[in-house]
Amino acid sequence: MVPVGLALVLALAVAGCNANSSSDGSTKDKNTTAMESVPQGGTLHYLSRKATESFETANAQMVPTSRLRWVHRGLTSWQTFPDKDTILVPDLAKDTGTTDDGGKTWTFELQEGLKFSDGSPITAQDVKYGIERSFAPMFQGGLGYHKTLLEGGTDYDGPYDGKELDSIEVVDEHKIVFHLTRPFGNWPWIVSMPAFAPVPEAADTEPETYGEKPVASGPYMVTSFSKGTQAVLERNPNWKADTDQARLAGPDKIILDMGLNNDTIVQRLIDDKGDDKNAISNALISPSQFQRIESDTSISDRLANGPSGYFRYLAMNVKRPGLSDVRVRQAINYAINKSEIQSVYGGPKFGGQITSSIMTEGIPGATDYDLYPGGDTGDVEKAKELLDEAGVKNLKLTLTYPTDVSAIEEKEALSVKNSLKRVGIDVELKGLDGSTWYELISDAKGDYDLTTNGWGADFPSGMSTIQPLFASSEIGNGGGNASQYSNPEVDAAIDAAISEPDLDKAAEMWAAIDKQIMEDAPIVPFLVQRTQALAGSNILNYFMPAYPPFANELVVGVDH
């Protein structure tokens, strides 16, 4: 689960391929479907603003379309498209899993003949061991859905003391069975996550540094690694394209440069010289850079600009006396000038789309609706009417927000303050460093009134947004329920949707829960943010889907 109260951590989704010339002189339009293949050969450069990159899977929070998957495969993976929903596909497994007991037990069979980069066979035991490593205390911080879902997971500390997790059952070299604590319909999505990459136990002699040069199951292996500086990836001779539905593996080599200045990366991509013509990155483009990019089609044609992604909202602490009355929270929903917040983030084209619901585009079941139709700029009179009904006058609230990522959070908070002032609510702004802010809003004591926040789903299901933000179990103890919202009927509905093995039916259930929550108005949805990514002029098949909110790094090619 990905809290993004530190706002510019966004990098959202785009509809369209890169409009670059291919080697035959043709042009691929942005809004056509994704390419089914890319040219083989050339060197791809990856410019990273991270101080250091790692190919460790046990504590990774990266989605299955990220650069980690150049080196590692999972049981399942994701296929993305510019113009339709992301789908789950088999990866190491023959299919996306089977269950015969309503989703409490899941079975996967590996494809025959799969090999690691060292020539050894990939077995079900390697998958089991890779998962078990993620429970070790040294690897805390990764995506951890499986740690509470697998039987015995909450009491397991990894394989390094010789213990196994019995709920991961290896039937034979190719069959693995997972025994869960409860029915869970989204388990096939969970096994696409980094921790489910196979790791041969014999190669794991130095766990702390395994991620610098792991044994590869994907199309590339790490041939050179200088921590904080550079990694070089070259083809894994034992990877077979006909076994892999998720990767196109176009480049012969990938050079990943680490620890670069964010703005320098963007400027290098704008300039588009030398090897940077063959580059992609994880750099964040600031609103101030959009004008330069948009003014030059040779740059803007290389910009991926997403239709969906991170969800920005105002959380109202429903346990505070001034916010316990639903009419007050509904009034605040009517009062907010969402258009002004949209402008803070860069306007409709670059900042995002105004929203009034919880789930974002690309999540099955996501539906547009508006229970509090105040328009983009708010309905001041309706807000005042509701406050009068609630008998509220001269309400004073404190809005807490994080300060140490960018100035955007402060501007967003000021916009909320100004909106509420129009309806007679006095708001005091309180900026905190990110760590202090997160500790405050994830504490059950809830010593705050309002906070701005953001959220990105880890996999395309309503569960990945609604459960962490609104289930009673997520109040305090580091949970994401910043509204301190607790509704037994909603909790029961969440539990039923999580357990539903029919994902189409589950999507309908999540849609109903979305609206059920907003009837209680614990939040004000602001914006589904857009995120942009710039690529060099020789990069092919560079697009962002509606979900996930990142370009699919596994399918890009180099026009050489």
Side-chain angles (χ1 to χ4, degrees):
M1 299 167 212
V2 188
V4 215
L6 318 176
L8 263 186
V9 190
L10 359 145
L12 315 185
V14 181
C17 297
N18 179 36
N20 292 325
S21 297
S22 66
S23 53
D24 64 2
S26 64
T27 298
K28 188 161 186 67
D29 183 78
K30 273 185 172 183
N31 296 314
T32 59
T33 57
M35 298 166 67
E36 294 182 359
S37 64
V38 292
Q40 298 293 292
T43 298
L44 174 68
H45 291 262
Y46 193 95
L47 309 179
S48 177
R49 60 190 174 85
K50 291 182 67 175
T52 191
E53 294 272 352
S54 171
F55 294 93
E56 176 59 70
T57 58
N59 60 355
Q61 293 202 11
M62 300 168 78
V63 296
T65 55
S66 72
R67 53 202 172 279
L68 192 75
R69 290 302 199 188
W70 287 328
V71 176
H72 301 286
R73 297 178 71 173
L75 288 173
T76 61
S77 195
W78 302 2
Q79 272 188 357
T80 61
F81 310 91
D83 51 2
K84 56 185 178 180
D85 287 346
T86 293
I87 62 171
L88 190 70
V89 295
D91 195 356
L92 294 174
K94 293 180 179 179
D95 56 35
T96 57
T98 59
T99 179
D100 57 9
D101 61 358
K104 191 173 181 182
T105 307
W106 287 91
T107 300
F108 295 83
E109 288 196 45
L110 272 62
Q111 299 181 63
E112 305 281 344
L114 299 172
K115 293 182 180 181
F116 285 110
S117 54
D118 65 1
S120 61
I122 298 173
T123 68
Q125 179 60 40
D126 298 319
V127 175
K128 173 180 168 72
Y129 182 76
I131 302 165
E132 290 175 335
R133 292 175 76 248
S134 70
F135 287 83
M138 73 177 73
F139 292 126
Q140 296 305 302
L143 296 175
Y145 295 96
H146 61 291
K147 295 179 183 179
T148 55
L149 284 166
L150 286 165
E151 288 182 354
T154 55
D155 299 318
Y156 182 63
D157 289 325
Y160 297 116
D161 59 1
K163 296 179 181 178
E164 296 186 16
L165 187 59
D166 293 338
S167 54
I168 307 174
E169 178 190 358
V170 173
V171 178
D172 57 39
E173 283 197 349
H174 296 97
K175 182 182 287 188
I176 188 167
V177 180
F178 299 98
H179 301 274
L180 309 185
T181 58
R182 53 170 297 161
F184 188 75
N186 279 297
W187 187 253
W189 288 97
I190 300 300
V191 302
S192 71
M193 293 183 179
F196 288 77
V199 175
E201 183 175 358
D204 190 28
T205 56
E206 298 180 4
E208 295 86 351
T209 58
Y210 180 79
E212 296 180 4
K213 207 169 182 180
V215 181
S217 52
Y220 299 96
M221 55 187 183
V222 181
T223 56
S224 172
F225 190 94
S226 298
K227 188 173 183 178
T229 305
Q230 188 179 83
V232 177
L233 280 58
E234 298 182 74
R235 289 196 183 278
N236 169 8
N238 293 309
W239 174 81
K240 304 300 181 186
D242 60 2
T243 70
D244 196 329
Q245 298 183 44
R247 302 159 185 80
L248 296 183
D252 284 337
K253 179 186 288 189
I254 301 171
I255 298 175
L256 195 158
D257 290 320
M258 313 172 198
L260 303 177
N261 176 270
N262 186 89
D263 291 344
T264 300
I265 294 173
V266 176
Q267 189 58 53
R268 284 174 57 175
L269 291 170
I270 287 173
D271 293 341
D272 196 41
K273 296 177 180 178
D275 288 338
D276 292 340
K277 292 184 176 183
N278 301 337
I280 59 176
S281 82
N282 60 359
L284 304 174
I285 301 171
S286 67
S288 63
Q289 293 168 313
F290 293 146
Q291 185 175 358
R292 166 72 198 282
I293 293 170
E294 193 173 19
S295 67
D296 187 336
T297 56
S298 70
I299 306 170
S300 61
D301 282 351
R302 300 185 276 113
L303 181 73
N305 183 22
S308 182
Y310 285 103
F311 169 58
R312 291 296 301 177
Y313 64 99
L314 176 73
M316 296 177 276
N317 187 344
V318 301
K319 293 184 178 179
R320 302 289 269 194
L323 295 165
S324 59
D325 190 319
V326 67
R327 292 170 295 184
V328 175
R329 302 194 300 270
Q330 290 171 340
I332 292 174
N333 267 273
Y334 276 108
I336 297 297
N337 184 340
K338 297 181 182 181
S339 180
E340 185 173 277
I341 293 172
Q342 182 185 53
S343 296
V344 165
Y345 280 95
K349 185 171 183 179
F350 297 112
Q353 56 197 26
I354 290 170
T355 189
S356 55
S357 55
I358 298 167
M359 292 190 295
T360 59
E361 184 179 343
I363 304 297
T367 306
D368 289 331
Y369 65 87
D370 192 353
L371 298 184
Y372 312 106
D376 291 351
T377 59
D379 185 335
V380 172
E381 294 309 312
K382 181 63 175 177
K384 288 181 177 179
E385 177 185 323
L386 284 164
L387 291 172
D388 286 343
E389 286 181 17
V392 171
K393 296 179 186 284
N394 303 316
L395 181 61
K396 297 183 184 296
L397 301 172
T398 298
L399 192 162
T400 304
Y401 64 95
T403 59
D404 53 357
V405 171
S406 74
I408 287 185
E409 283 85 357
E410 183 175 3
K411 292 178 181 178
E412 179 183 51
L414 183 60
S415 178
V416 172
K417 175 184 174 75
N418 292 337
S419 287
L420 296 187
K421 184 177 181 180
R422 300 184 303 172
V423 301
I425 299 176
D426 184 26
V427 175
E428 177 188 355
L429 300 183
K430 185 177 180 180
L432 299 173
D433 69 87
S435 296
T436 304
W437 166 82
Y438 184 71
E439 184 177 345
L440 178 71
I441 70 162
S442 60
D443 190 310
K445 294 177 182 178
D447 191 17
Y448 58 90
D449 296 319
L450 308 169
T451 186
T452 50
N453 204 356
W455 190 263
D458 291 322
F459 59 98
S461 165
M463 181 245 175
S464 194
T465 295
I466 289 175
Q467 189 272 341
L469 296 187
F470 301 104
S472 300
S473 60
E474 299 303 307
I475 297 173
N477 299 314
N481 189 341
S483 300
Q484 306 268 312
Y485 175 72
S486 180
N487 181 331
E489 292 181 359
V490 168
D491 288 339
I494 288 173
D495 196 60
I498 288 173
S499 299
E500 176 54 58
D502 183 332
L503 296 186
D504 289 335
K505 185 176 179 181
E508 295 176 1
M509 297 167 75
W510 289 119
I513 297 168
D514 188 318
K515 188 173 290 187
Q516 183 180 6
I517 291 167
M518 283 307 301
E519 287 172 352
D520 288 334
I523 66 167
V524 181
F526 290 157
L527 202 66
V528 178
Q529 291 176 278
R530 298 184 190 277
T531 297
Q532 296 74 32
L534 195 60
S537 57
N538 289 339
I539 298 297
L540 298 168
N541 212 35
Y542 195 67
F543 65 91
M544 294 188 192
Y547 185 86
F550 308 100
N552 188 339
E553 296 168 348
L554 309 183
V555 298
V556 298
V558 177
D559 187 353
H560 60 100

